[in-house]
Amino acid sequence: MYPELRTQTSPDEREQQVLARWKEHNVFGRSVNEHSSDKVFSFYEGPPTVNGVPGIHHVLSRTLKDVICRYKTMQGFRVERKGGWDTHGLPVELAIEKELGFKHKHDIIEYGVEAFNKKCREMVYANIANPAGWRAMTERMAYWVDMDRPYITCEPSYIESIWWALKQFHDKGLIYKGHKIQPYCPRCETALSSHEVALGYDTAKDPSVYVKFRRKNAAEEEYFLAWTTTPWTLLANLALAVHPDVYYVTVINKRKDKVERLVLAEALLTKLEGEYEVVSMVKGSELEGHQYEPLFDFLVRDPEYGPKLANAYKIVNDTYVSTEDGTGIVHQAPAFGEDDYRVAQKYGFPVIVTVTGSGEIADVITDYKGQFFKDADPHITDALKRKGLLYRKETIEHTYPFCWRCDSPLMYYARDSWYIRVTDYRKELYEKNKTINWQPPEIGEGRFGNWLEDLKDWGISRERFWGTPFPLWVSEDGKEIKAVGSFEDLVGAEWLDDAGNPTGKLFTKEDAITFDPHKPNVDKLAFKTKSGYLRRVPDVIDVWFDSGSMPFAQYHYPFENKDLFEQAYPADYISEGIDQTRGWFYTLHAINTFLFGKPPYKNVIVNDMILDKNGQKMSKSRGNTVNPFEALTTHGADAVRWNFLSSSVPWKPKLYNADDIAELERKFFNTLLNTYGFFALYANIDGYERKAESFIEPAKRSEMDRWILSKLNSLVKECTVWMDGYDLTRPARAIETFVIEEVSNWYVRRSRRRFWKGEMNADKQAAYDTIYECLLTVSKLMAPIAPFMSDILYNALGAGVSVHLAAYPTATDSIIDTALERRMQKAQIISSLVRQMRERAKIKVRQPLARILVPSGNRVEIEELRKVEDIILDEVNVKRVEHIEHGDSDVIKRKAKANYKLLGAQLGKEMKNVAARIATMSDDEITSYERQGYIDLQITTTTHRIERGEIEIIAEDVEGWLVASEYGVTVALDTEITEDLALEGLGREVINRIQNTRKEIEHFKVEDRIDEIRYFTNSIILQKALEANKDKIKEETLTGSVSSAMVKFPPEDKPNPFATFNESKGIYINHLFKAFNIEDEELKVEIIYYQDQANKKQG
RNA sequence: GGGCCUAUAGCUCAGUUGGUUAGAGCGUCCGCCUGAUAAGCGGGAGGUCAGUGGUUCAACUCCACUUAGGCCCA
């Protein structure tokens, strides 16, 4: 028995049952383990931040991961999917700080780093176990990934692998200490990540000052004009930057009582007040090296800094200088701007920090020392004004970053930091990226490629607490550095006490086994050398280094599992959001390509954001976020997954629209269920089973069967090609179309009669085999995308435990028949045209008509069409088709049209004229062309010979007939309704009414019989129609007898319907009375059917 | 300022290597069909294929620029 699937259960209940079954049969485990490790498809899971909240966009990226992994599994690969957790870093630290009510970094130190990190660890493991979080979402959406044995970035073994990697970098001389300009909160005394900075942007009123820098060695008094919104940085000014390709002018500027010579970008002359006259113009590159006098002399005077400044206070060139705002001359304070810093490195300027870590002006600036940096702004401006170096001062409102925790204005601030010199192998990263298959390619070439092209060194140290400790031990003078590459490397190091003093106790091999390297534990180890002790650099490393190390660290490589690592490296496939371009995609590439010489992944699918249905970004404040659990339970995971893939390609921003998902449920999933339901209904009646011995060879099946099988095999072929190319959208759309259009709306619609008529015979068997084949293959094709529905279908068809243990279908080329597909398409076009004409003529499809006329170009076309003739006739309810060759009939009017593609190539400019001439070809000319196979057309003075195939002949009209044409196909319809046809039409009306009535009767199954129909009507024509179609009516409505009778309708003394019990037969005899209106005539019917007691009781 | 992407019907999207009636779904109005269907079919209304220029016999398609929007970087 094929079970009924269209029960009232919700998608959620339906899918929960499947989840339970998977669990019971360990389907995921089997789907991996039943494939040998000879054929491995390697997948890397990007670790989610452990205390993050899963959102709807994660459902998208996890769908992309899952679909490919399931597909490759079905293709016979062993696809292990080790889950992972990103557990270190600020997200966790901040959550704990919030819990403890901390405001400052020193709160953590006072609280105790050991206790703090203990709390971090507890939160990490609590989140991993959290039943309402990631794990629940992942399971509910059927993303198959091994979450029972995940890699966890804070585990000692994971950290040890990272240490190994960092030592490799160090051994190659790629780790160095430098400055890094970071967004920095002076109150919290910590650098902020870019993500945090983005949280804190707000509008601020800041001074906007134009400052004059006096040019040295100039014939006349002359000033460079620069602009800034941060006067406090002027104290650290060391240079002025101009763009080498921008033109700069010297002007004589007159305003109020002043006249002065100024230099600025030509494009920004509008910034000047008063009148000006341009005296000269040069390119920025020519200004390079010109010197100017410092605004203040604090630094020059200083015994420490002074000597380093010989090279400073001059014009430098850099292309980052813009002419958007300001003056085109940018003041440079290397300690307080990323570009400034970079330019300083380029020109060899020192980095002088004039503000302390807590935001106060440093002692070296004797006049302002101790002032909060922002508070110093007005004082500095006043000083400049007194010195006559202030050109103009205004206040502007712009967006500026503030600390999202304490609201202090942030500063960009140079800090000591450790770097990996990725620039050393930038070229290799750039070149090897080209071997990665990016989907879409433009992200690989563009966004990622450009990023690699102007890569900067990677600052990897962080002055925080909960993270992978940086494994460098350094002597006091910084000259001796020891990189530790394993816990064993620590053997022999000396334990320090809490105050940092050596205890004489050494780190042993046993210590290495149980060692937890987290702070502060690791800071209590020091190495004794000749000169003293090497102590650990107290920093932790960037969490992105953690996740980028997962290819080897997840296996604790190289300390164990060498084989596992090598088998899995590089990954065949990864997939994440576009935000990971500079995140995980990059760190994976940068770390692993260095370590292993080849990129860590071969194929990537990148997905873009999910927007709400109006195209708005989702955010909590807008209140338009979508709860993934809610989406998954209301629509079912299948519908959500399918919609994500089919609505648009993953790498375009996607609009989330619940209505679209609901429509998909109705149109696709319900149609599929109904198609199955139709099959199951009749298969159960006929006791059909798929058996090898009764299987009908596809080649011996009907035109219709061979057609759908051809389409099916074409679909399999296409889907395989697309899936292999990491295109998931096309398969989803194609499967949808196949199920809705080809199977349901054409194959089943046109084949229904075969299922419900008569006994089991070869044709019926073929029909069952065919639809079974379609359903089973579709269940496999859709399994990667809709893992639930496909499995339900697969199970219902009795095909096995789970579709996810089955092989992906392969196409049989011999079954694909393109000629058949073409002629069926033509049959569909003709059917559509006939329905169009019926609409115009106001003749219902139920009314049979005598004939249609189809003009064809030649015999071959006619022969092709003959093969699908019956299908057309049945579909449009017409008795016969008349085929005519164009040339053989006078009634057909033809039109000639140029084949642009063919002719255009050879004719070139003449094309227009020739095409126009062809369009006016007479009927005689067309006939002549068809007979000879060519025609000579004269256009002005030249004659063009047009060969066969270069003109298309289309039958456009048939005189005296109703005609319609589309896609080059023309059909004429005979609209005459003879008396016989009219009677037959009425007969079909009667059948229709009775069929509708059958459906109204409770508990009346499609195969149940009506025993007797009695009818009464005053209409002569209806009487005639009933007489003429009696047999047909009996046959179609499964009725024993049909007879005319004088009955009262409805009987006054009885309910309608009523039943009598026949004791001798033990059955109920039911009487149902109905009156129908057919063509304005009344027909009264008494329908009599028997039901046995058992059936009746049900009612 | 730089890079990438996008712009086709009221909405969501197709549109193959340039080739001559630019399509589908949703929505809307009229009609039809239905013995699996919460479906389906036919018709009506709705398009300056964002704009300008270029290449070409021919441009939604290729090129350049412009405009608008998005993302990333600065």
Side-chain angles (χ1 to χ4, degrees), chain A residues 626-650:
Chain A
V626 174
N627 179 325
F629 290 100
E630 211 176 292
L632 292 170
T633 49
T634 35
H635 306 291
D638 276 349
V640 174
R641 290 167 61 119
W642 197 283
N643 172 263
F644 278 172
L645 296 188
S646 68
S647 68
S648 68
V649 288

PDB file of all heavy atoms in Angstrom, chain A residues 626-650:
ATOM      1  N   VAL A 626      13.770  38.483  11.202  1.00  0.00           N
ATOM      2  CA  VAL A 626      12.977  37.268  11.095  1.00  0.00           C
ATOM      3  C   VAL A 626      13.600  36.224  12.023  1.00  0.00           C
ATOM      4  O   VAL A 626      14.785  35.933  11.934  1.00  0.00           O
ATOM      5  CB  VAL A 626      12.980  36.736   9.650  1.00  0.00           C
ATOM      6  CG1 VAL A 626      12.270  35.390   9.574  1.00  0.00           C
ATOM      7  CG2 VAL A 626      12.304  37.746   8.734  1.00  0.00           C
ATOM      8  N   ASN A 627      12.794  35.714  12.920  1.00  0.00           N
ATOM      9  CA  ASN A 627      13.272  34.659  13.816  1.00  0.00           C
ATOM     10  C   ASN A 627      13.374  33.359  13.030  1.00  0.00           C
ATOM     11  O   ASN A 627      12.383  32.881  12.483  1.00  0.00           O
ATOM     12  CB  ASN A 627      12.274  34.514  14.974  1.00  0.00           C
ATOM     13  CG  ASN A 627      12.686  33.417  15.930  1.00  0.00           C
ATOM     14  OD1 ASN A 627      13.237  32.386  15.528  1.00  0.00           O
ATOM     15  ND2 ASN A 627      12.422  33.635  17.193  1.00  0.00           N
ATOM     16  N   PRO A 628      14.591  32.786  12.956  1.00  0.00           N
ATOM     17  CA  PRO A 628      14.742  31.602  12.114  1.00  0.00           C
ATOM     18  C   PRO A 628      13.874  30.434  12.575  1.00  0.00           C
ATOM     19  O   PRO A 628      13.345  29.699  11.748  1.00  0.00           O
ATOM     20  CB  PRO A 628      16.228  31.260  12.242  1.00  0.00           C
ATOM     21  CG  PRO A 628      16.717  31.989  13.438  1.00  0.00           C
ATOM     22  CD  PRO A 628      15.849  33.185  13.595  1.00  0.00           C
ATOM     23  N   PHE A 629      13.714  30.279  13.875  1.00  0.00           N
ATOM     24  CA  PHE A 629      12.907  29.161  14.365  1.00  0.00           C
ATOM     25  C   PHE A 629      11.457  29.301  13.929  1.00  0.00           C
ATOM     26  O   PHE A 629      10.804  28.344  13.538  1.00  0.00           O
ATOM     27  CB  PHE A 629      12.977  29.081  15.893  1.00  0.00           C
ATOM     28  CG  PHE A 629      14.321  28.632  16.391  1.00  0.00           C
ATOM     29  CD1 PHE A 629      15.240  29.547  16.853  1.00  0.00           C
ATOM     30  CD2 PHE A 629      14.665  27.291  16.367  1.00  0.00           C
ATOM     31  CE1 PHE A 629      16.493  29.136  17.293  1.00  0.00           C
ATOM     32  CE2 PHE A 629      15.913  26.865  16.813  1.00  0.00           C
ATOM     33  CZ  PHE A 629      16.828  27.796  17.280  1.00  0.00           C
ATOM     34  N   GLU A 630      10.989  30.555  13.989  1.00  0.00           N
ATOM     35  CA  GLU A 630       9.606  30.796  13.600  1.00  0.00           C
ATOM     36  C   GLU A 630       9.415  30.485  12.121  1.00  0.00           C
ATOM     37  O   GLU A 630       8.438  29.857  11.721  1.00  0.00           O
ATOM     38  CB  GLU A 630       9.298  32.266  13.874  1.00  0.00           C
ATOM     39  CG  GLU A 630       7.861  32.523  14.240  1.00  0.00           C
ATOM     40  CD  GLU A 630       7.700  33.989  14.596  1.00  0.00           C
ATOM     41  OE1 GLU A 630       8.250  34.407  15.628  1.00  0.00           O
ATOM     42  OE2 GLU A 630       7.043  34.702  13.817  1.00  0.00           O
ATOM     43  N   ALA A 631      10.378  30.938  11.307  1.00  0.00           N
ATOM     44  CA  ALA A 631      10.281  30.697   9.868  1.00  0.00           C
ATOM     45  C   ALA A 631      10.288  29.195   9.586  1.00  0.00           C
ATOM     46  O   ALA A 631       9.484  28.696   8.797  1.00  0.00           O
ATOM     47  CB  ALA A 631      11.449  31.363   9.146  1.00  0.00           C
ATOM     48  N   LEU A 632      11.175  28.480  10.280  1.00  0.00           N
ATOM     49  CA  LEU A 632      11.313  27.058  10.011  1.00  0.00           C
ATOM     50  C   LEU A 632      10.084  26.275  10.459  1.00  0.00           C
ATOM     51  O   LEU A 632       9.704  25.294   9.824  1.00  0.00           O
ATOM     52  CB  LEU A 632      12.557  26.508  10.717  1.00  0.00           C
ATOM     53  CG  LEU A 632      13.902  27.006  10.167  1.00  0.00           C
ATOM     54  CD1 LEU A 632      15.051  26.592  11.082  1.00  0.00           C
ATOM     55  CD2 LEU A 632      14.146  26.475   8.763  1.00  0.00           C
ATOM     56  N   THR A 633       9.466  26.708  11.551  1.00  0.00           N
ATOM     57  CA  THR A 633       8.313  25.931  12.006  1.00  0.00           C
ATOM     58  C   THR A 633       7.035  26.304  11.266  1.00  0.00           C
ATOM     59  O   THR A 633       6.188  25.444  11.051  1.00  0.00           O
ATOM     60  CB  THR A 633       8.094  26.079  13.525  1.00  0.00           C
ATOM     61  OG1 THR A 633       8.131  27.459  13.854  1.00  0.00           O
ATOM     62  CG2 THR A 633       9.146  25.332  14.313  1.00  0.00           C
ATOM     63  N   THR A 634       6.889  27.539  10.856  1.00  0.00           N
ATOM     64  CA  THR A 634       5.645  27.859  10.141  1.00  0.00           C
ATOM     65  C   THR A 634       5.631  27.293   8.721  1.00  0.00           C
ATOM     66  O   THR A 634       4.622  26.747   8.292  1.00  0.00           O
ATOM     67  CB  THR A 634       5.368  29.378  10.033  1.00  0.00           C
ATOM     68  OG1 THR A 634       6.604  30.043   9.884  1.00  0.00           O
ATOM     69  CG2 THR A 634       4.660  29.900  11.233  1.00  0.00           C
ATOM     70  N   HIS A 635       6.730  27.441   8.004  1.00  0.00           N
ATOM     71  CA  HIS A 635       6.712  26.987   6.613  1.00  0.00           C
ATOM     72  C   HIS A 635       7.335  25.612   6.428  1.00  0.00           C
ATOM     73  O   HIS A 635       7.150  24.983   5.398  1.00  0.00           O
ATOM     74  CB  HIS A 635       7.489  27.965   5.734  1.00  0.00           C
ATOM     75  CG  HIS A 635       7.028  29.376   5.865  1.00  0.00           C
ATOM     76  ND1 HIS A 635       5.807  29.787   5.396  1.00  0.00           N
ATOM     77  CD2 HIS A 635       7.608  30.457   6.425  1.00  0.00           C
ATOM     78  CE1 HIS A 635       5.662  31.078   5.663  1.00  0.00           C
ATOM     79  NE2 HIS A 635       6.739  31.505   6.285  1.00  0.00           N
ATOM     80  N   GLY A 636       8.113  25.195   7.395  1.00  0.00           N
ATOM     81  CA  GLY A 636       8.909  23.985   7.217  1.00  0.00           C
ATOM     82  C   GLY A 636      10.264  24.365   6.645  1.00  0.00           C
ATOM     83  O   GLY A 636      10.380  25.326   5.883  1.00  0.00           O
ATOM     84  N   ALA A 637      11.271  23.607   7.044  1.00  0.00           N
ATOM     85  CA  ALA A 637      12.629  23.926   6.599  1.00  0.00           C
ATOM     86  C   ALA A 637      12.754  23.775   5.089  1.00  0.00           C
ATOM     87  O   ALA A 637      13.435  24.556   4.430  1.00  0.00           O
ATOM     88  CB  ALA A 637      13.630  23.019   7.306  1.00  0.00           C
ATOM     89  N   ASP A 638      12.086  22.784   4.532  1.00  0.00           N
ATOM     90  CA  ASP A 638      12.173  22.554   3.094  1.00  0.00           C
ATOM     91  C   ASP A 638      11.788  23.793   2.296  1.00  0.00           C
ATOM     92  O   ASP A 638      12.499  24.188   1.374  1.00  0.00           O
ATOM     93  CB  ASP A 638      11.230  21.421   2.686  1.00  0.00           C
ATOM     94  CG  ASP A 638      11.866  20.056   2.899  1.00  0.00           C
ATOM     95  OD1 ASP A 638      13.080  20.005   3.160  1.00  0.00           O
ATOM     96  OD2 ASP A 638      11.143  19.056   2.782  1.00  0.00           O
ATOM     97  N   ALA A 639      10.666  24.378   2.635  1.00  0.00           N
ATOM     98  CA  ALA A 639      10.173  25.524   1.870  1.00  0.00           C
ATOM     99  C   ALA A 639      11.120  26.702   2.014  1.00  0.00           C
ATOM    100  O   ALA A 639      11.396  27.416   1.047  1.00  0.00           O
ATOM    101  CB  ALA A 639       8.763  25.897   2.316  1.00  0.00           C
ATOM    102  N   VAL A 640      11.647  26.916   3.218  1.00  0.00           N
ATOM    103  CA  VAL A 640      12.568  28.028   3.435  1.00  0.00           C
ATOM    104  C   VAL A 640      13.852  27.791   2.636  1.00  0.00           C
ATOM    105  O   VAL A 640      14.334  28.665   1.928  1.00  0.00           O
ATOM    106  CB  VAL A 640      12.890  28.194   4.935  1.00  0.00           C
ATOM    107  CG1 VAL A 640      13.951  29.263   5.143  1.00  0.00           C
ATOM    108  CG2 VAL A 640      11.622  28.551   5.706  1.00  0.00           C
ATOM    109  N   ARG A 641      14.382  26.590   2.742  1.00  0.00           N
ATOM    110  CA  ARG A 641      15.613  26.253   2.022  1.00  0.00           C
ATOM    111  C   ARG A 641      15.417  26.414   0.520  1.00  0.00           C
ATOM    112  O   ARG A 641      16.234  26.999  -0.187  1.00  0.00           O
ATOM    113  CB  ARG A 641      16.030  24.809   2.337  1.00  0.00           C
ATOM    114  CG  ARG A 641      16.523  24.580   3.746  1.00  0.00           C
ATOM    115  CD  ARG A 641      16.607  23.078   4.086  1.00  0.00           C
ATOM    116  NE  ARG A 641      17.535  22.372   3.226  1.00  0.00           N
ATOM    117  CZ  ARG A 641      18.623  21.725   3.663  1.00  0.00           C
ATOM    118  NH1 ARG A 641      18.887  21.667   4.948  1.00  0.00           N
ATOM    119  NH2 ARG A 641      19.419  21.117   2.828  1.00  0.00           N
ATOM    120  N   TRP A 642      14.308  25.860   0.046  1.00  0.00           N
ATOM    121  CA  TRP A 642      14.038  25.895  -1.394  1.00  0.00           C
ATOM    122  C   TRP A 642      13.905  27.334  -1.877  1.00  0.00           C
ATOM    123  O   TRP A 642      14.460  27.733  -2.893  1.00  0.00           O
ATOM    124  CB  TRP A 642      12.780  25.093  -1.710  1.00  0.00           C
ATOM    125  CG  TRP A 642      12.678  24.743  -3.151  1.00  0.00           C
ATOM    126  CD1 TRP A 642      12.306  25.555  -4.177  1.00  0.00           C
ATOM    127  CD2 TRP A 642      12.989  23.470  -3.751  1.00  0.00           C
ATOM    128  NE1 TRP A 642      12.365  24.879  -5.366  1.00  0.00           N
ATOM    129  CE2 TRP A 642      12.773  23.601  -5.133  1.00  0.00           C
ATOM    130  CE3 TRP A 642      13.425  22.240  -3.241  1.00  0.00           C
ATOM    131  CZ2 TRP A 642      12.979  22.539  -6.027  1.00  0.00           C
ATOM    132  CZ3 TRP A 642      13.608  21.200  -4.130  1.00  0.00           C
ATOM    133  CH2 TRP A 642      13.400  21.353  -5.506  1.00  0.00           C
ATOM    134  N   ASN A 643      13.142  28.110  -1.120  1.00  0.00           N
ATOM    135  CA  ASN A 643      12.940  29.510  -1.498  1.00  0.00           C
ATOM    136  C   ASN A 643      14.262  30.273  -1.551  1.00  0.00           C
ATOM    137  O   ASN A 643      14.490  31.071  -2.465  1.00  0.00           O
ATOM    138  CB  ASN A 643      11.983  30.176  -0.502  1.00  0.00           C
ATOM    139  CG  ASN A 643      11.879  31.675  -0.717  1.00  0.00           C
ATOM    140  OD1 ASN A 643      12.542  32.462  -0.053  1.00  0.00           O
ATOM    141  ND2 ASN A 643      11.081  32.070  -1.691  1.00  0.00           N
ATOM    142  N   PHE A 644      15.144  30.017  -0.594  1.00  0.00           N
ATOM    143  CA  PHE A 644      16.428  30.713  -0.573  1.00  0.00           C
ATOM    144  C   PHE A 644      17.235  30.430  -1.844  1.00  0.00           C
ATOM    145  O   PHE A 644      17.937  31.291  -2.343  1.00  0.00           O
ATOM    146  CB  PHE A 644      17.247  30.280   0.645  1.00  0.00           C
ATOM    147  CG  PHE A 644      16.851  31.015   1.899  1.00  0.00           C
ATOM    148  CD1 PHE A 644      17.350  30.649   3.135  1.00  0.00           C
ATOM    149  CD2 PHE A 644      15.965  32.078   1.849  1.00  0.00           C
ATOM    150  CE1 PHE A 644      16.992  31.325   4.289  1.00  0.00           C
ATOM    151  CE2 PHE A 644      15.592  32.764   2.993  1.00  0.00           C
ATOM    152  CZ  PHE A 644      16.115  32.377   4.219  1.00  0.00           C
ATOM    153  N   LEU A 645      17.124  29.204  -2.331  1.00  0.00           N
ATOM    154  CA  LEU A 645      17.903  28.876  -3.517  1.00  0.00           C
ATOM    155  C   LEU A 645      17.215  29.305  -4.795  1.00  0.00           C
ATOM    156  O   LEU A 645      17.863  29.740  -5.740  1.00  0.00           O
ATOM    157  CB  LEU A 645      18.183  27.372  -3.561  1.00  0.00           C
ATOM    158  CG  LEU A 645      19.038  26.823  -2.429  1.00  0.00           C
ATOM    159  CD1 LEU A 645      19.392  25.381  -2.695  1.00  0.00           C
ATOM    160  CD2 LEU A 645      20.310  27.633  -2.269  1.00  0.00           C
ATOM    161  N   SER A 646      15.907  29.151  -4.859  1.00  0.00           N
ATOM    162  CA  SER A 646      15.218  29.366  -6.138  1.00  0.00           C
ATOM    163  C   SER A 646      14.857  30.826  -6.386  1.00  0.00           C
ATOM    164  O   SER A 646      14.770  31.248  -7.527  1.00  0.00           O
ATOM    165  CB  SER A 646      13.960  28.500  -6.220  1.00  0.00           C
ATOM    166  OG  SER A 646      13.004  28.945  -5.290  1.00  0.00           O
ATOM    167  N   SER A 647      14.662  31.611  -5.335  1.00  0.00           N
ATOM    168  CA  SER A 647      14.170  32.972  -5.559  1.00  0.00           C
ATOM    169  C   SER A 647      15.193  33.830  -6.288  1.00  0.00           C
ATOM    170  O   SER A 647      14.849  34.622  -7.147  1.00  0.00           O
ATOM    171  CB  SER A 647      13.757  33.615  -4.245  1.00  0.00           C
ATOM    172  OG  SER A 647      14.887  33.848  -3.442  1.00  0.00           O
ATOM    173  N   SER A 648      16.458  33.669  -5.958  1.00  0.00           N
ATOM    174  CA  SER A 648      17.506  34.386  -6.690  1.00  0.00           C
ATOM    175  C   SER A 648      18.835  33.734  -6.335  1.00  0.00           C
ATOM    176  O   SER A 648      18.910  32.967  -5.386  1.00  0.00           O
ATOM    177  CB  SER A 648      17.513  35.869  -6.331  1.00  0.00           C
ATOM    178  OG  SER A 648      17.914  36.048  -5.001  1.00  0.00           O
ATOM    179  N   VAL A 649      19.876  34.060  -7.090  1.00  0.00           N
ATOM    180  CA  VAL A 649      21.179  33.475  -6.797  1.00  0.00           C
ATOM    181  C   VAL A 649      21.660  33.951  -5.420  1.00  0.00           C
ATOM    182  O   VAL A 649      21.368  35.066  -5.026  1.00  0.00           O
ATOM    183  CB  VAL A 649      22.225  33.820  -7.878  1.00  0.00           C
ATOM    184  CG1 VAL A 649      21.940  33.049  -9.150  1.00  0.00           C
ATOM    185  CG2 VAL A 649      22.273  35.308  -8.150  1.00  0.00           C
ATOM    186  N   PRO A 650      22.401  33.097  -4.699  1.00  0.00           N
ATOM    187  CA  PRO A 650      22.753  33.406  -3.308  1.00  0.00           C
ATOM    188  C   PRO A 650      23.623  34.654  -3.152  1.00  0.00           C
ATOM    189  O   PRO A 650      23.641  35.249  -2.093  1.00  0.00           O
ATOM    190  CB  PRO A 650      23.532  32.173  -2.840  1.00  0.00           C
ATOM    191  CG  PRO A 650      23.410  31.147  -3.888  1.00  0.00           C
ATOM    192  CD  PRO A 650      22.873  31.772  -5.126  1.00  0.00           C
TER     193      PRO A 650
END
